[in-house]
Structure formats: C-alpha cells, structure tokens
Amino acid sequence: MRLITHNLLMCHSKACTGGEACFPLRIEDAELAEVEAEFNPEFLRRFMPRIHWGALLGIDQLPSEAPNNMDDDLLKRVHHVLMEASCK
C-alpha cells in the first residue's frame, strides 16, 4: 500500500470514537519498499488539499507544516514519500 493511500484511510469501526482515534491508522510490523512511479507535478498540486499533512509529521524529507507554495524540489520529495514509498 502506498503512503498516499494510507494517508486517506481512517477507521470506520463502531469501536472508533472519531477524531484522532480514527486517523491516522497505525502501521505496525510492515516492511517499507520503494516502488517507482512517474512524477506528475500537476496531480500532486491538485491532490495536496486532500492530504492530511499531520500524518506525515516525522518524515525527514518534508517540512513540519503544509507549505502554501510548492516548488519543484518539494514536489519531488512529496512525490517520493507519497507515491514511491510502499508498506508491505
């Protein structure tokens, strides 16, 4: 599962009470693999409003807050984290 998919998932179980208990889902005992993906800056720019940036905190390649303007270098780093990192 790519991290872009994980970033959109939340718990819909009745046992989940909502808010932070439902999101982000924790990934435990998973291998991280790299999957090559074509860089599409326009897709990322359009998709950024849907990304829950707080779930990406702690990833060294990314800033701690969602940027307002994304240059090509930052878009490439976001692409690598969201599109090329995959959990097995």
Side-chain angles (χ1 to χ4, degrees):
M1 169 178 48
R2 292 183 181 173
L3 290 184
I4 192 167
T5 303
H6 175 264
N7 191 269
L8 299 174
L9 296 176
M10 66 177 14
C11 178
H12 290 288
S13 169
K14 290 181 182 180
C16 293
T17 59
E20 291 184 25
C22 293
F23 182 82
L25 297 178
R26 288 194 322 246
I27 299 174
E28 297 178 355
D29 298 327
E31 284 184 39
L32 193 61
E34 284 195 33
V35 178
E36 192 172 325
E38 183 178 339
F39 178 61
N40 186 340
E42 278 308 306
F43 168 77
L44 288 173
R45 283 190 180 99
R46 289 190 317 265
F47 202 80
M48 284 308 296
R50 297 183 64 195
I51 296 295
H52 298 278
W53 201 263
L56 301 175
L57 291 180
I59 298 176
D60 293 336
Q61 298 177 359
L62 302 178
S64 59
E65 295 181 7
N68 292 330
N69 297 321
M70 298 187 70
D71 62 9
D72 281 346
D73 179 55
L74 182 56
L75 279 173
K76 287 178 183 176
R77 289 186 282 153
V78 169
H79 165 79
H80 177 72
V81 169
L82 294 178
M83 305 298 290
E84 295 183 330
S86 179
C87 299
K88 290 185 173 185

